Amino acid sequence: MPPTFTVTAAGENRLTKQNSLKRIIIISTVVLVVIFILANFWTHYQQRTSSLTSIALIPGEIHWKECIPAVENVECGRIIVPKDYFDAEAGTASVALARYKAKKFPRKGSVFLNPGGPGGPGSRLPITTGSALAKVIGEDWDLIGFDPRGIGSTMPPTRCFSSQISNTVLFANTVIEQGITVSSISDLSSPLLYDQLVEQHRQFLAVKEAHAHLCGEMMGNELKYMGTATVVRDIDFMSRVIEGEDEKINYWGISYGSILGAYLVNMLPHRIGYAVIDGIVNPVSWSNEPSHKWPINWISDAEKTYQIFLQDCSKAGPSSCPLCEYKDEPWQNLERRFEEFFDAIALNPIPVPFGNRPGVLTSGGARGLLVKSLQRPLEWPKVAKSFSSAMAGNGTALYNAIVRPLPLADLDSPEPHISPRLAVTCLDSPRPTSPDEFPTAEDLTEQGLKALREVSPHFGLSTGVSEPDGGCQYWPVDGPERFTGPWNATLETKMLIVSNTADPITPKSSGLLVNSLMPDSSVIIIQDGPGHCSIFLPSLCTAKLQRGYFAGEIPKNGTVCPVDLATFPDEESDKHIQMLSTEDRELLKALRDLEAMF
Ligand SMILES: *[C@@H]1O[C@H](CO)[C@@H](O)[C@H](O)[C@H]1NC(C)=O
Ligand SMILES: *[C@@H]1O[C@H](CO)[C@@H](O)[C@H](O)[C@H]1NC(C)=O
Ligand SMILES: *[C@@H]1O[C@H](CO)[C@@H](O)[C@H](O)[C@H]1NC(C)=O
């Protein structure tokens, strides 16, 4: 992702309103050029669709063939679905699919998968993780991944830019890419800090507005069909085509996949068979609050996870965690060192001439990356090295984790990251429509300060690097349907909810909320460990309970599962693995593979 909001040595923001204006003028010019280039793109796109038309554009048509390149036991395909379930005139969409086939018989049916995001192309899951996932879900199921609307190879795709270069350039060196810099968390009532945050949020709003205009120009009404409610209807439609009218829908989804899962079971409770959601996002807030209000809820366990990271590092000692000076150093020392580093580079960002792109590492970028890294405990040793090298003056490794190399100007590869994500979140959340309801830079600043004061003193304003939401007030369209609850559906088979005790972005409280709204139609299991979703720090217990669930054994509500891998591996954790049965070691290997492929 791109970087740099620059703060001068005096702590004054260089960005002025004039610059924002200039930016808007430049962007408008770019838009004109883009429209011109688009004429070409649309011709190209329409040719592709019409060649598809000649084969089949009847909803329900489905084609399976070998994947390219071929993958053992996996087939790839496409299904034609109604573009708009409330308007037959709208035509069709073509959803990209992949299926890891059941290896054990009798085959039980299909499980639809979602990898999160929103923006994650699920058709990759059977290809990259099929055999590992089958060990968790069961070898007697077909595992079906699909690219949700607007995402990956599903057509039409979300295309807001004429090329990936122009996509990268809009966000490069802005707060969207580099996160918001909090010059110091030590005095949140400082008027200087307030002004700096307001300036950064002005830039944030201007870039979001430009982005939304581009999406509107490029996509127009095609943007209306990416919302989660439409994807729920697609799953229902696909299940009827693939498994037959009367077969139940089975589902497995993590992170944003828990939103899709919560919508699915609450919109179509009578259609649901087995459903697992893992890493729970609060669906009530998601569907009823504007997206800038979401993060305050998401980060409620971020501090807890951060403390585990610091403690585990100190326990591991400097040989595997160079952030500590000696083994068992008080974790508060490490925390202080991090704050000194963030404060220092807020004043003097680190030049990175030889990174993925030449640029600078800002405090906002580094802090955003730290909270993002808390999601993946198995990466902590690597993260510790990158931060320790940045603290010693070399920001390259950290910067490269934020900023990708400049992409080739490739029209045909899907647009990464931000546009497909907003295409979903801006249709799901309520969108302020009159300008006097639009959140101002001051509103966003107050919201951020509230999060820093009340929820997470280190990361209250730092989730933007990993979750670039917001600005939906500028989004050009609404969807045909927006689901906002109720969330208390009655299911024939209880849904399985999985939450970790220390998940920095999808807190346990959200799992408990979904569980409490469906007390008789769900069970929750709690994985006792840090990280985002159960799969990022493997637990044999969690995996076996899921496998049992898909075989018809509903786990006891409230079961707590330990994890089986250490964040900083040592002799003791190696011994634990050696003592496992062969079967458990094989399952653990599958879980590691799963972690690595996500
Ligand atoms: C800085 O770190 C990068 C990536 O870790 C490394 O390739 C490079 O050699 C380092 N530069 C210096 C001057 O040590
Ligand atoms: C579910 O919630 C809705 C709205 O809060 C309420 O009207 C309805 O009675 C609830 N249904 C059940 C089965 O509890
Ligand atoms: C299920 O377990 C959770 C977590 O322990 C608990 O909060 C909840 O009340 C339980 N639900 C029921 C119906 O017992």
Side-chain angles (χ1 to χ4, degrees), residues 36-336:
F36 184 72
I37 294 169
L38 266 196
N40 263 327
F41 166 62
W42 275 120
T43 319
H44 174 67
Y45 173 66
Q46 256 145 18
Q47 275 164 0
R48 279 204 307 194
T49 348
S50 60
S51 68
L52 224 129
T53 319
S54 57
I55 309 165
L57 268 186
I58 301 161
E61 290 276 349
I62 186 165
H63 298 276
W64 293 105
K65 56 182 172 41
E66 212 172 65
C67 303
I68 306 168
V71 184
E72 201 222 314
N73 200 46
V74 181
E75 51 192 6
C76 287
R78 283 193 167 272
I79 180 168
I80 307 300
V81 300
K83 190 180 275 173
D84 182 340
Y85 289 89
F86 300 89
D87 175 13
E89 307 282 284
T92 57
S94 158
V95 174
L97 302 168
R99 161 162 78 183
Y100 183 89
K101 290 178 284 183
K103 285 184 157 175
K104 259 200 205 143
F105 297 88
R107 176 186 162 279
K108 289 221 186 86
S110 293
V111 178
F112 288 88
L113 313 170
N114 182 277
S123 70
R124 283 199 206 131
L125 285 183
I127 296 168
T128 57
T129 67
S131 65
L133 258 181
K135 296 232 163 45
V136 177
I137 292 174
E139 310 242 307
D140 42 9
W141 294 94
D142 283 351
L143 306 180
I144 299 186
F146 63 98
D147 295 349
R149 292 292 182 96
I151 293 167
S153 306
T154 281
M155 305 232 289
T158 312
R159 290 275 164 77
C160 297
F161 299 87
S162 58
S163 72
Q164 289 202 27
I165 289 280
S166 55
N167 182 355
T168 303
V169 167
L170 175 60
F171 303 116
N173 304 321
T174 70
V175 291
I176 310 286
E177 182 187 61
Q178 283 271 322
I180 302 283
T181 285
V182 183
S183 52
S184 172
I185 61 167
S186 63
D187 180 11
L188 294 180
S189 53
S190 147
L192 180 59
L193 172 65
Y194 186 87
D195 290 347
Q196 289 169 341
L197 294 178
V198 169
E199 285 294 338
Q200 294 180 76
H201 281 113
R202 289 198 178 128
Q203 185 195 53
F204 174 90
L205 289 171
V207 178
K208 287 285 178 189
E209 190 169 354
H211 182 198
H213 278 307
L214 285 163
C215 294
E217 288 292 336
M218 283 288 277
M219 301 280 300
N221 278 336
E222 289 296 344
L223 270 183
K224 285 168 66 170
Y225 309 108
M226 281 69 167
T228 300
T230 301
V231 179
V232 164
R233 308 241 172 249
D234 281 347
I235 296 177
D236 184 32
F237 185 86
M238 293 189 289
S239 176
R240 289 177 196 273
V241 170
I242 294 170
E243 291 293 339
E245 283 294 323
D246 301 326
E247 292 300 315
K248 297 267 159 129
I249 299 167
N250 306 292
Y251 178 80
W252 181 94
I254 66 168
S255 196
Y256 160 75
S258 73
I259 288 288
L260 182 53
Y263 275 56
L264 176 68
V265 304
N266 283 287
M267 283 174 67
L268 307 170
H270 304 295
R271 297 278 297 123
I272 306 305
Y274 296 104
V276 171
I277 55 176
D278 180 352
I280 313 305
V281 183
N282 179 334
V284 183
S285 157
W286 182 276
S287 58
N288 290 289
E289 291 189 297
S291 57
H292 68 277
K293 298 252 168 111
W294 296 348
I296 195 166
N297 169 286
W298 293 347
I299 54 172
S300 54
D301 285 337
E303 293 293 322
K304 193 172 174 188
T305 320
Y306 184 39
Q307 197 168 320
I308 296 174
F309 167 68
L310 297 173
Q311 286 167 340
D312 284 4
C313 169
S314 148
K315 241 186 277 166
S319 58
S320 47
C321 188
L323 291 166
C324 61
E325 284 172 359
Y326 52 92
K327 198 166 154 50
D328 295 323
E329 182 178 12
W331 61 268
Q332 292 87 346
N333 291 8
L334 281 61
E335 183 194 342
R336 204 191 52 234

Side-chain angles (χ1 to χ4, degrees), residues 512 515 519 524 557-558:
L512 291 173
N515 175 239
I524 186 167
N557 182 55

Side-chain angles (χ1 to χ4, degrees), residues 24 42 45 94 145 212 232 259 283 296 410 439 454 493 510 525 535 572:
I24 289 170
W42 275 120
Y45 173 66
S94 158
V232 164
I259 288 288
I296 195 166
D410 177 2
E454 295 172 15
T493 307
S510 299
I525 60 177
I535 55 174
E572 202 185 313

Side-chain angles (χ1 to χ4, degrees), residues 420-466:
R421 180 181 176 111
L422 291 194
V424 178
T425 56
C426 289
L427 295 194
D428 285 4
S429 60
R431 229 161 46 75
T433 45
S434 102
D436 52 312
E437 291 167 21
F438 287 10
T440 61
E442 287 78 6
D443 295 337
L444 298 179
T445 297
E446 307 278 359
Q447 176 76 11
L449 285 169
K450 182 175 153 75
L452 284 164
R453 287 197 186 102
E454 295 172 15
V455 185
S456 172
H458 298 96
F459 307 113
L461 249 170
S462 300
T463 49
V465 170
S466 57

Side-chain angles (χ1 to χ4, degrees), residues 460-527:
L461 249 170
S462 300
T463 49
V465 170
S466 57
E467 324 292 331
D469 295 310
C472 293
Q473 59 273 23
Y474 308 120
W475 204 248
V477 298
D478 290 310
E481 171 183 31
R482 197 164 71 78
F483 184 71
T484 57
W487 304 99
N488 54 2
T490 301
L491 303 179
E492 197 177 296
T493 307
K494 291 182 182 186
M495 171 165 73
L496 175 59
I497 301 165
V498 186
S499 278
N500 293 350
T501 47
D503 182 324
I505 196 72
T506 57
K508 188 176 85 172
S509 56
S510 299
L512 291 173
L513 172 72
V514 173
N515 175 239
S516 72
L517 291 167
M518 301 172 60
D520 301 318
S521 291
S522 71
V523 292
I524 186 167
I525 60 177
I526 309 286
Q527 178 165 305

